[in-house]
Amino acid sequence: QVQLVESGGGLVQAGGSLRLSCAVSRRTFTVYAMGWFRQAPGKVREFVTSISWSGGSTYYADSVKGRLTISRDNAKNTVYLQMNSLKPEDTAVYYCAASTLVTGTWNYWGQGTQVTGSS
């Protein structure tokens, strides 16, 4: 089993910054990649960014490139999402996800943390 616990959400003014954390605990399986997804009210959950656990390769949705940065601290088993230049349209519940499958399927999810960007 893998447990993911997000923290760091909140209310921030447009243009502000916020850092989300995702602590990975009870790792009894190899984690191949970690990712962040978000779901805005009335919309489907969408991919934001991901990072490979070993090599650190990163991928970003076009809408967040240059503003959001994913990073990991293997020693702390923690993944971070640094959010800069926040926009009101970034408002959503942000979910941390883990893949323990070589197929890359996201098979573990956190409970989500609310991020609200005010205009």
Side-chain angles (χ1 to χ4, degrees):
Q1 282 286 350
V2 174
Q3 290 192 344
L4 309 177
V5 180
E6 301 107 329
S7 60
L11 174 66
V12 62
Q13 288 188 331
S17 298
L18 203 62
R19 189 176 81 159
L20 307 183
S21 299
C22 175
V24 185
S25 63
R26 298 189 180 182
R27 286 184 55 190
T28 57
F29 299 101
T30 298
V31 175
Y32 291 103
M34 297 291 299
W36 288 95
F37 291 72
R38 66 186 182 186
Q39 187 167 16
K43 296 187 177 181
V44 299
R45 189 174 300 186
E46 65 175 359
F47 170 81
V48 176
T49 179
S50 65
I51 186 168
S52 64
W53 195 258
S54 58
S57 298
T58 58
Y59 303 90
Y60 293 92
D62 289 341
S63 59
V64 305
K65 282 181 181 177
R67 299 188 301 114
L68 275 59
T69 303
I70 189 171
S71 62
R72 76 198 191 293
D73 185 329
N74 290 7
K76 294 183 178 180
N77 280 337
T78 301
V79 174
Y80 303 98
L81 181 63
Q82 179 66 43
M83 308 174 71
N84 297 328
S85 302
L86 278 165
K87 303 176 180 180
E89 51 263 42
D90 292 319
T91 296
V93 176
Y94 283 73
Y95 296 91
C96 178
S99 173
T100 63
L101 304 174
V102 293
T103 58
T105 301
W106 302 102
N107 55 330
Y108 288 98
W109 295 85
Q111 81 286 355
T113 184
Q114 177 71 46
V115 172
T116 303
S118 64
S119 57

